Amino acid sequence: HLPEDELEPAKALALQDLRALEDAPQTKVMLELRKRFYPYPLGRDNRGTVAGIEATTIEDVRHFHQANFQPQEAILAIAGDIDWPALKDEVERLFGSWVGQPRPEIPKEKFTPQSAHLEKELDQTQIALACPSVQITHPDFYQMRGALGVLSLDMSSRLFSNVREKHGLCYSVWASYEGFKDRGTILGYAGARPELAQETLDRTLEEFHNLKNGIEEEELQRVKVGLKSSLIMRQESTATRAGSLASDWYHFGRVRPLAEIQAALDGLTVSSILGYLERHPLKDFTLVT
């Protein structure tokens, strides 16, 4: 219905959320990194801008809803104790007559990532970095996950044990993966006192670059246990399971059986991960501080 009298409270909440970023420097630096690493529109912050929110009218909201909330390519994923035939009939009854208009493709723009330093008075220098990786459907995806696990999976991983524990440079340091249909990204973060920021960055990048020089069998086994444990734990939550189903359908056009994923994890070896790093070296970093 999108009643007009609910727009101003919604805008106030959106502005509050946006302004709260100034008190969340770790979140802010990762947003600034994405702006500079991804092409339009992937790098945009879904919070919008203060000017954009303030200028929005109820007509804008209604037009956006009409243009973008469409049944085409929609995915409905449900997990739990369900009666599938009854559910299917009910979805057909509720949504079967829903007809929308095809949306135009978003133009792909040429884009070169840009590193940057943003001046701000903070107790810590915020360090965020990104480099290209493989997409979720790539044959090397689980080799990448294995390499990333050696870097940053738990308190025994290299970033935590070497940058934080061994050298005492920072409290928080990590790396993670972010995937889209056509690309993948490895993200990294560290927060350090300004006088330690350069050494923190140097040692963090050193850990990324040193991966290709060798991985211990003990590290591999710890990563495999951690990834398989995470896989099992995700099945305990119906919400998380539904999210996995939707993600599989979106990326693969099918739902992967758990045995397929477990087999991919079991197949990880030191040589297969090092082979991945040779084919897809961790390089071309974009850095925002």
Side-chain angles (χ1 to χ4, degrees):
H1 297 287
L2 300 174
E4 186 170 8
D5 61 353
E6 293 185 14
L7 178 62
E8 288 306 316
K11 288 170 65 172
L13 285 173
L15 289 169
Q16 180 180 333
D17 188 31
L18 193 59
R19 288 167 176 149
L21 281 174
E22 299 308 314
D23 297 320
Q26 180 174 331
T27 302
K28 180 73 177 290
V29 76
M30 297 307 294
L31 289 173
E32 295 293 341
L33 174 68
R34 290 184 176 93
K35 286 181 187 177
R36 290 163 174 80
F37 182 75
Y38 290 123
Y40 176 90
L42 298 181
R44 294 183 64 180
D45 178 16
N46 60 12
R47 295 172 182 81
T49 64
V50 171
I53 293 168
E54 289 178 340
T56 297
T57 67
I58 194 63
E59 287 76 22
D60 295 328
V61 175
R62 289 169 179 163
H63 175 74
F64 178 87
H65 181 271
Q66 184 178 23
N68 291 281
F69 283 67
Q70 303 280 356
Q72 286 91 339
E73 301 181 19
I75 297 169
L76 176 63
I78 299 173
D81 183 13
I82 59 173
D83 180 336
W84 172 246
L87 171 69
K88 186 178 177 183
D89 290 345
E90 187 68 0
V91 170
E92 180 66 27
R93 183 184 71 81
L94 291 169
F95 300 108
S97 61
W98 185 18
V99 178
Q101 301 296 321
R103 288 178 293 179
E105 283 194 20
I106 296 172
K108 294 183 179 179
E109 299 180 356
K110 290 185 178 180
F111 181 79
T112 301
Q114 298 287 330
S115 295
H117 174 69
L118 309 175
E119 288 288 346
K120 187 175 177 65
E121 286 294 327
L122 295 169
D123 293 334
Q124 287 192 323
T125 296
Q126 307 294 313
I127 302 168
L129 53 90
C131 69
S133 184
V134 296
Q135 66 266 41
I136 292 173
T137 54
H138 195 282
D140 280 336
F141 174 74
Y142 283 102
Q143 314 304 326
M144 179 278 299
R145 288 302 306 270
L148 186 61
V150 173
L151 264 182
S152 182
L153 182 67
D154 53 32
M155 289 188 291
S156 298
S157 301
R158 292 187 184 184
L159 286 178
F160 190 95
S161 60
N162 291 344
V163 180
R164 171 180 154 151
E165 296 296 292
K166 182 178 178 180
H167 295 284
L169 291 169
C170 59
Y171 179 79
S172 179
V173 57
W174 49 260
S176 65
Y177 174 79
E178 188 168 80
F180 297 92
K181 265 190 175 180
D182 66 340
R183 75 192 67 218
T185 304
I186 290 179
L187 301 169
Y189 168 83
R193 297 201 309 272
E195 65 272 19
L196 298 175
Q198 185 63 58
E199 185 181 359
T200 301
L201 172 60
D202 292 342
R203 293 195 180 277
T204 299
L205 288 173
E206 184 179 32
E207 294 302 329
F208 275 86
H209 293 141
N210 280 345
L211 267 183
K212 66 179 185 298
N213 297 328
I215 294 170
E216 299 293 332
E217 184 65 32
E218 181 182 351
E219 290 180 301
L220 172 64
Q221 294 306 318
R222 176 183 51 77
V223 168
K224 290 170 76 169
V225 169
L227 291 175
K228 286 197 280 188
S229 298
S230 175
L231 179 66
I232 293 170
M233 291 299 293
R234 287 202 300 269
Q235 309 316 307
E236 298 296 316
S237 163
T238 50
T240 303
R241 182 65 183 143
S244 297
L245 294 173
S247 176
D248 271 7
W249 198 263
Y250 175 74
H251 289 287
F252 296 91
R254 64 185 180 90
V255 175
R256 296 173 297 166
L258 296 180
E260 178 182 329
I261 301 174
Q262 183 168 333
L265 296 175
D266 286 335
L268 290 176
T269 65
V270 168
S271 61
S272 71
I273 294 174
L274 293 178
Y276 154 77
L277 291 168
E278 185 176 348
R279 293 186 295 274
H280 308 279
L282 302 177
K283 63 177 184 177
D284 298 329
F285 285 92
T286 298
L287 175 69
V288 175
T289 56

